[in-house]
Amino acid sequence: MKIGVCDTTFSRVNMGAIAIDELRRHASVSIERYTVPGVKDLPVAAKKLIEERECDIVMALGMPGGVDKDKMCAHEASQGLIKAQLMTNTHIIEVFVHEDEAKNDNELAWLAERRTREHAENAVRLILRPDDLIKMAGTGQRQGFEDAGPARR
Amino acid sequence: MKIGVCDTTFSRVNMGAIAIDELRRHASVSIERYTVPGVKDLPVAAKKLIEERECDIVMALGMPGGVDKDKMCAHEASQGLIKAQLMTNTHIIEVFVHEDEAKNDNELAWLAERRTREHAENAVRLILRPDDLIKMAGTGQRQGFEDAGPARR
Amino acid sequence: MKIGVCDTTFSRVNMGAIAIDELRRHASVSIERYTVPGVKDLPVAAKKLIEERECDIVMALGMPGGVDKDKMCAHEASQGLIKAQLMTNTHIIEVFVHEDEAKNDNELAWLAERRTREHAENAVRLILRPDDLIKMAGTGQRQGFEDAGPARR
Amino acid sequence: MKIGVCDTTFSRVNMGAIAIDELRRHASVSIERYTVPGVKDLPVAAKKLIEERECDIVMALGMPGGVDKDKMCAHEASQGLIKAQLMTNTHIIEVFVHEDEAKNDNELAWLAERRTREHAENAVRLILRPDDLIKMAGTGQRQGFEDAGPARR
Amino acid sequence: MKIGVCDTTFSRVNMGAIAIDELRRHASVSIERYTVPGVKDLPVAAKKLIEERECDIVMALGMPGGVDKDKMCAHEASQGLIKAQLMTNTHIIEVFVHEDEAKNDNELAWLAERRTREHAENAVRLILRPDDLIKMAGTGQRQGFEDAGPARR
């Protein structure tokens, strides 16, 4: 099993390093890292990790800025990540933290770390323990902030 | 005949379980279930259900949140689901319930269940009884809330 | 020559039946009909009509609702229809009537019928009389409401 | 060398005829014309001109209306034209004139003619004199209204 | 190693010439230049540079105008650039400077030059020194204006 981790120099938190740390806690897999300038460079990087470096799943980590132009970049990147998955029949877990989700730099760093770690667990589940995800279906899971929980308890 | 059911851990209602229950009432088919973290993970999951697990049709079930960022995620997921259908020449019935369609958690759970069940019927019609759909053409069907009905009665 | 007609149960007017009636007036062609639940199911249906049922052209008929979410659905469907055309090198005439284009149910039914009939003529021209379209180039044709006409008369 | 010209019956100016007139002034090439109902029909028409009628480049001419729904149609058509180019490795010059760019019908006709003629020159440059474009790089060229010119003179 | 540089005649700064100047400072590579009219022509130009002129990476340089229609063009171009990358498994570095990012023509020229030069460095890193990018991961790099820096120092 090989997991790809691609992240950006644009991000204000080293999300790639955090992802690798968390992945190693949950599975003994080999890891390929690929850092690109910004989120729009992630789709092809993820696809290359899958097709050229034989990853079984990829985490695509990014931190879009808070203004409208940044949101459009994130949207374009997301569409590319979905397309890359369809072209390869391989999951790419998108982990985006929008700068305006946090009140200040401290919360931003906390949120980026927590969301990255929780999605690293999801990546491991997807390739090694898919039945764990079925058990969690419909339970209102969130990555980063608190879970929403099921609508009926 | 095999029907794929993919749903999410993000959803606050176990839409996958509801879909499977309803499908079994209408057809004796085998069912493949695949749970992923969120709606953006659905397109590749649906495509894998079709290409790797040989489903003849897939239901893609999700519950996007109510804020703008969530609506964008749903839009990206929808585009991916349409692309996946075009790449496979296979229907994927999108069943999305937006959190802000309901007034409260109770209505949300009710809406998610009802829309899922009505679309499960549509899935069965598409693969087993397409002529039933032709008879319903132009009758203003809705899934979840009340039908709109035909413009001229 | 074979013309595909795909429409929806969501529509409040039986646009498929109207299209078939009009097509038969203008050309002696065989017709394949395919009814799906909503506009987002049209792209794959149209592609299947082309690739599996050998249609030379397809009419994709739908009636999106008037709220924002419906407009997004129509946008996603339109993108899918364009993609399907590019994948098959075959025209798919999109005939969408937005519920909020009409003042009331009567006008809605009138508009849906008229737009469908005028586009049925376009479909016939595209496959049988393309030179008729060249003669109409730049004349401000509209389907449904009144033509805009040329800017300079 | 063969140049494809596709235009619409929706346009209020015969942009196809203008393009052909201008192309003939600048190059002795054969021309294929293809008229379709509206801008959303242009992507597949352009692709067919390239793949079935062997055009080396295509001009896609359209005049979207001024309301929101029209802008969305233009957006969808533009995306399709870009996709068609990527699928064929062939340029398709999009020449769209939005009805609300002009104050009145006269200006609209003037703008449509001028933009079409200037882009016809670009089409010829792209296939016959690419070095001319390199010399014009970064000079703030506009098609239709006045050039913006370079930021530093 | 061969680097493609594609730019536009629409841009008000000769971004292509600047990119070539900077690339030559950092690497001894051969360079292919391709100038097109506007940003929507960049995706196919970049793809042709990769597939027909064998570039290992491409810089796509453009300067979208400041009004809504221009922003839509930039969005469409960006999506096309991402798609071109996925179709070729090759990076295309998008360097767009929006006219409304600068207060006046002088700042616009300054910004376009600086962003182009900084992204030329990124292009060289991506193909020759990918480990340099890993070292810069999560450090809040920006191209043009000042770096944002890491959230936690």
Side-chain angles (χ1 to χ4, degrees):
Chain A
M1 280 288 170
K2 201 189 272 190
I3 300 183
V5 171
C6 55
D7 64 346
T8 68
T9 66
F10 188 98
S11 170
R12 301 182 58 210
V13 175
N14 194 334
M15 296 166 77
I18 295 166
I20 291 169
D21 178 69
E22 187 71 23
L23 288 169
R24 292 217 191 284
R25 292 181 195 213
H26 295 277
S28 110
V29 293
S30 61
I31 290 172
E32 294 279 331
R33 185 166 182 185
Y34 196 155
T35 303
V36 295
V39 288
K40 291 209 255 194
D41 306 305
L42 288 173
V44 74
K47 184 150 177 279
K48 285 162 76 79
L49 282 170
I50 294 165
E51 292 184 339
E52 299 175 359
R53 290 157 75 176
E54 300 178 339
C55 292
D56 299 287
I57 192 169
V58 172
M59 295 183 70
L61 310 149
M63 185 180 281
V67 302
D68 275 3
K69 193 159 68 78
D70 297 314
K71 301 213 171 294
M72 194 53 104
C73 287
H75 172 50
E76 291 153 1
S78 291
Q79 289 179 309
L81 290 170
I82 289 174
K83 206 179 314 257
Q85 292 175 73
L86 294 176
M87 291 168 90
T88 59
N89 275 8
T90 302
H91 280 286
I92 300 171
I93 302 293
E94 178 193 300
V95 188
F96 281 5
V97 178
H98 294 256
E99 235 187 306
D100 59 0
E101 285 185 82
K103 285 188 302 285
N104 54 45
D105 280 9
N106 258 340
E107 193 183 62
L108 185 66
W110 169 85
L111 178 61
E113 174 158 357
R114 186 150 156 185
R115 186 171 292 161
T116 300
R117 290 194 185 278
E118 295 194 41
H119 266 310
E121 283 189 82
N122 278 333
V124 172
R125 286 182 190 117
L126 273 167
I127 55 168
L128 294 178
R129 296 192 289 274
D131 286 350
D132 284 7
L133 288 166
I134 293 180
K135 281 174 212 147
M136 296 162 70
T139 58
Q141 299 293 311
R142 297 294 180 267
Q143 289 76 35
F145 295 117
E146 206 182 347
D147 289 344
R152 274 179 184 153
R153 291 161 204 257
Chain B
M1 280 287 169
K2 200 189 272 192
I3 300 184
V5 171
C6 55
D7 66 344
T8 68
T9 66
F10 188 98
S11 170
R12 302 182 57 209
V13 174
N14 193 334
M15 296 166 77
I18 295 166
I20 291 169
D21 178 69
E22 188 70 23
L23 288 168
R24 293 215 190 284
R25 293 179 195 215
H26 295 276
S28 113
V29 292
S30 62
I31 290 173
E32 294 279 332
R33 184 165 183 186
Y34 195 154
T35 304
V36 294
V39 288
K40 292 208 254 194
D41 305 304
L42 288 173
V44 74
K47 184 150 176 279
K48 285 162 76 80
L49 282 171
I50 294 164
E51 293 184 339
E52 298 174 359
R53 291 157 74 176
E54 301 178 340
C55 293
D56 299 286
I57 191 167
V58 171
M59 295 184 70
L61 310 149
M63 185 180 281
V67 301
D68 275 2
K69 194 158 68 80
D70 297 314
K71 301 215 172 292
M72 193 53 103
C73 287
H75 172 50
E76 291 153 0
S78 291
Q79 290 178 309
L81 290 170
I82 289 174
K83 206 179 314 258
Q85 292 175 74
L86 293 176
M87 291 168 90
T88 58
N89 275 8
T90 302
H91 280 286
I92 300 170
I93 302 293
E94 178 193 300
V95 188
F96 281 5
V97 178
H98 294 255
E99 236 188 306
D100 59 1
E101 285 186 82
K103 286 188 302 285
N104 53 45
D105 279 9
N106 258 341
E107 192 183 61
L108 185 66
W110 169 86
L111 178 62
E113 174 158 358
R114 185 149 155 186
R115 186 170 292 160
T116 300
R117 291 194 184 277
E118 295 195 41
H119 267 309
E121 283 189 82
N122 278 335
V124 172
R125 287 182 188 117
L126 273 167
I127 55 168
L128 295 178
R129 299 192 287 274
D131 286 350
D132 285 7
L133 288 167
I134 293 180
K135 280 172 213 147
M136 296 162 70
T139 57
Q141 299 294 310
R142 297 295 181 269
Q143 289 76 35
F145 295 117
E146 206 183 348
D147 290 344
R152 272 178 186 154
R153 290 156 205 262
Chain C
M1 280 288 168
K2 200 189 271 191
I3 300 184
V5 171
C6 54
D7 66 344
T8 67
T9 66
F10 188 98
S11 171
R12 302 182 56 210
V13 175
N14 193 334
M15 297 167 76
I18 296 166
I20 290 169
D21 178 70
E22 187 71 23
L23 287 168
R24 293 216 190 284
R25 292 178 196 216
H26 295 277
S28 111
V29 293
S30 61
I31 289 172
E32 294 280 333
R33 184 165 183 185
Y34 195 155
T35 303
V36 295
V39 289
K40 292 208 255 194
D41 305 304
L42 289 173
V44 74
K47 184 151 177 278
K48 285 163 76 81
L49 282 171
I50 294 165
E51 293 184 339
E52 298 174 0
R53 291 157 75 176
E54 300 178 343
C55 293
D56 299 286
I57 192 167
V58 172
M59 295 184 70
L61 309 149
M63 183 178 281
V67 301
D68 275 3
K69 194 159 68 80
D70 297 314
K71 302 215 171 291
M72 193 52 104
C73 287
H75 172 50
E76 291 153 1
S78 291
Q79 290 178 309
L81 290 170
I82 290 175
K83 207 178 312 257
Q85 292 176 75
L86 294 176
M87 290 168 90
T88 58
N89 275 8
T90 302
H91 281 286
I92 300 169
I93 302 292
E94 178 193 301
V95 188
F96 281 4
V97 177
H98 293 255
E99 236 188 306
D100 58 1
E101 285 187 82
K103 286 188 301 286
N104 54 45
D105 279 9
N106 258 341
E107 193 182 62
L108 185 66
W110 169 86
L111 178 61
E113 174 158 0
R114 186 150 156 186
R115 186 169 292 160
T116 300
R117 291 196 184 277
E118 295 195 41
H119 267 310
E121 283 190 82
N122 279 334
V124 172
R125 286 181 189 118
L126 272 167
I127 55 167
L128 294 178
R129 299 191 288 274
D131 286 351
D132 285 8
L133 288 167
I134 293 180
K135 280 173 212 147
M136 296 162 71
T139 58
Q141 300 293 311
R142 297 293 180 270
Q143 288 76 35
F145 295 117
E146 207 183 347
D147 289 344
R152 274 179 184 152
R153 291 158 204 259
Chain D
M1 279 288 168
K2 199 188 272 190
I3 300 184
V5 171
C6 54
D7 65 345
T8 67
T9 66
F10 188 98
S11 171
R12 302 183 56 210
V13 175
N14 194 333
M15 298 167 75
I18 296 166
I20 290 169
D21 178 69
E22 187 71 23
L23 287 169
R24 292 216 190 284
R25 292 179 195 215
H26 295 277
S28 112
V29 292
S30 61
I31 289 172
E32 295 279 333
R33 185 166 183 185
Y34 195 155
T35 303
V36 294
V39 289
K40 292 208 254 195
D41 305 304
L42 289 173
V44 75
K47 184 150 178 279
K48 284 163 76 80
L49 282 171
I50 294 164
E51 292 184 338
E52 298 174 1
R53 290 158 74 177
E54 299 178 343
C55 292
D56 299 287
I57 192 168
V58 172
M59 295 184 70
L61 309 148
M63 184 179 281
V67 302
D68 274 2
K69 193 159 67 83
D70 298 313
K71 301 213 173 293
M72 194 53 105
C73 287
H75 171 50
E76 290 153 1
S78 291
Q79 290 178 309
L81 290 171
I82 290 174
K83 207 178 311 255
Q85 293 176 74
L86 294 176
M87 290 167 91
T88 58
N89 275 8
T90 302
H91 280 285
I92 300 170
I93 302 292
E94 178 194 299
V95 188
F96 280 5
V97 178
H98 293 255
E99 235 188 307
D100 59 359
E101 285 186 83
K103 286 188 300 287
N104 53 45
D105 279 9
N106 258 339
E107 193 182 63
L108 185 66
W110 169 86
L111 178 62
E113 173 158 358
R114 186 149 158 187
R115 187 170 291 162
T116 301
R117 291 196 185 278
E118 295 195 42
H119 266 310
E121 284 190 82
N122 278 335
V124 172
R125 285 182 191 116
L126 272 167
I127 56 168
L128 294 178
R129 297 191 289 275
D131 286 350
D132 284 9
L133 288 167
I134 293 180
K135 281 173 211 144
M136 296 163 71
T139 58
Q141 299 293 310
R142 297 292 179 271
Q143 288 76 35
F145 295 118
E146 206 182 349
D147 289 344
R152 274 178 185 155
R153 293 160 204 256
Chain E
M1 279 288 169
K2 200 188 273 191
I3 301 183
V5 171
C6 55
D7 65 346
T8 68
T9 67
F10 188 98
S11 170
R12 302 183 57 210
V13 174
N14 194 333
M15 297 167 76
I18 295 166
I20 291 169
D21 178 69
E22 187 70 23
L23 288 168
R24 293 217 190 283
R25 291 180 196 214
H26 295 278
S28 112
V29 292
S30 61
I31 289 173
E32 294 279 332
R33 185 166 182 184
Y34 195 154
T35 303
V36 295
V39 288
K40 291 208 254 195
D41 305 305
L42 288 173
V44 74
K47 184 150 177 279
K48 284 163 76 80
L49 282 171
I50 293 164
E51 292 184 338
E52 298 174 1
R53 291 157 74 177
E54 299 178 343
C55 292
D56 299 288
I57 192 168
V58 171
M59 295 183 70
L61 309 148
M63 184 180 279
V67 302
D68 275 2
K69 193 159 68 80
D70 297 314
K71 300 212 173 294
M72 194 52 105
C73 288
H75 171 50
E76 290 153 2
S78 291
Q79 289 178 309
L81 290 171
I82 290 173
K83 206 178 314 254
Q85 294 176 72
L86 294 177
M87 290 168 91
T88 59
N89 275 8
T90 302
H91 280 286
I92 300 171
I93 302 292
E94 178 193 301
V95 187
F96 281 6
V97 178
H98 294 255
E99 234 187 308
D100 59 0
E101 285 186 83
K103 286 188 301 285
N104 54 46
D105 279 10
N106 258 339
E107 193 182 63
L108 185 66
W110 168 85
L111 178 62
E113 174 159 357
R114 186 150 157 184
R115 187 170 291 162
T116 301
R117 291 197 185 277
E118 295 195 42
H119 266 310
E121 284 189 81
N122 278 334
V124 172
R125 285 182 191 117
L126 272 167
I127 55 168
L128 294 178
R129 297 191 290 274
D131 286 351
D132 284 9
L133 288 166
I134 293 180
K135 281 174 211 145
M136 296 162 70
T139 58
Q141 300 293 310
R142 297 292 180 271
Q143 289 76 35
F145 295 117
E146 206 182 349
D147 289 345
R152 274 180 184 153
R153 292 161 204 256

